[in-house]
Amino acid sequence: MNTYPMKLVTIICESLAREPVTRLLAEVGAHGHTLFAVEGEGARGPRPGDIAEFGNIQVEVVVPPDTAEQLLTRLHSEFFPRFGMIAYLSDIQVLRPAKF
Amino acid sequence: MNTYPMKLVTIICESLAREPVTRLLAEVGAHGHTLFAVEGEGARGPRPGDIAEFGNIQVEVVVPPDTAEQLLTRLHSEFFPRFGMIAYLSDIQVLRPAKF
Amino acid sequence: MNTYPMKLVTIICESLAREPVTRLLAEVGAHGHTLFAVEGEGARGPRPGDIAEFGNIQVEVVVPPDTAEQLLTRLHSEFFPRFGMIAYLSDIQVLRPAKF
């Protein structure tokens, strides 16, 4: 069975960021995502906007590597300064790359 | 601490597919899985059955590489034609391989 | 865009283990985690304490590699003997390593 390399981008953010994040996913061309509520406790760093005790969501999206790059670049420049948020990349393998 | 390579298979599908998917996991010999409800938006491709706006589940299962191969092969041949569904593989490390 | 390697540790356990697990995360210096309820079915092994049919949680935490090692070592020695639980490691990439 052939598999193809893709990237999973996981975004954990305030629920407040839901609309702008899903709009961004559409703008970079992501073909789908999942989203679910999580409890969490954020970095105890200096920024009060860091991820709140409750009311966070986890958004997961599978995209080609170049889309992942665009997505992270825009998250970094446009979203990280405004929202309590973390994001990370994982390498995954899919069967049908045309779906993503 | 020694760790051992395993595969995480993530399946995102219509809730409708829950029973056949969990039956398939048992058939290929998976020893456990987690399952949770997700919101999502699927590939805006040509198939109307692609993942619906709501009512999806995410199923995660840790298995040895050969079981992952069997699972993906059967998902591809038996499930992808019938259900709105995506699946992907990740490499992970576990401490106690006998558990999986 | 530069990314930095980190570890994602995923812990699936009885809800009962929630307090001791989150206390352990704080003790090893993890800066944040997410937690959500999952349904699941555990290893059909010999131990009755293995993950119950319902009432499990999935805890995910992003940490530097050495923290992941400490966390797994303590899970293995202090938690695995007492709780129905599995844990696994994934390699991920982040943009801002100072957050974790």
Side-chain angles (χ1 to χ4, degrees), chain B residues 16-37:
Chain B
L16 182 62
R18 178 185 175 138
E19 285 303 312
V21 166
T22 54
R23 207 156 47 228
L24 173 61
L25 297 180
E27 286 172 15
V28 297
H31 289 168
H33 64 268
T34 61
L35 185 155
F36 51 98

Side-chain angles (χ1 to χ4, degrees), chain B residues 50-100:
Chain B
D50 274 355
I51 294 174
E53 288 292 324
F54 293 96
N56 295 320
I57 53 172
Q58 184 158 328
V59 181
E60 299 181 352
V61 61
V62 177
V63 287
D66 58 334
T67 304
E69 170 90 17
Q70 276 180 65
L71 178 52
L72 284 183
T73 301
R74 291 194 54 187
L75 284 171
H76 188 260
S77 62
E78 300 168 32
F79 284 73
F80 286 7
R82 294 169 54 206
F83 296 105
M85 178 178 289
I86 67 167
Y88 56 87
L89 272 187
S90 318
D91 289 312
I92 61 166
Q93 300 281 329
V94 302
L95 292 177
R96 301 185 296 179
K99 294 278 286 183
F100 302 98

Side-chain angles (χ1 to χ4, degrees), chain A residues 33-93:
Chain A
H33 64 268
T34 61
L35 185 155
F36 51 99
V38 293
E39 295 179 52
E41 197 177 304
R44 284 171 290 277
R47 299 197 318 127
D50 275 356
I51 294 175
E53 288 292 323
F54 293 97
N56 296 319
I57 54 173
Q58 183 158 329
V59 181
E60 300 181 350
V61 61
V62 176
V63 287
D66 58 335
T67 304
E69 170 90 18
Q70 275 180 66
L71 179 51
L72 284 184
T73 301
R74 291 194 54 188
L75 284 172
H76 187 259
S77 61
E78 301 167 33
F79 284 71
F80 286 6
R82 293 169 54 206
F83 296 104
M85 177 178 289
I86 68 166
Y88 56 87
L89 271 186
S90 317
D91 288 311
I92 61 166
Q93 300 281 328

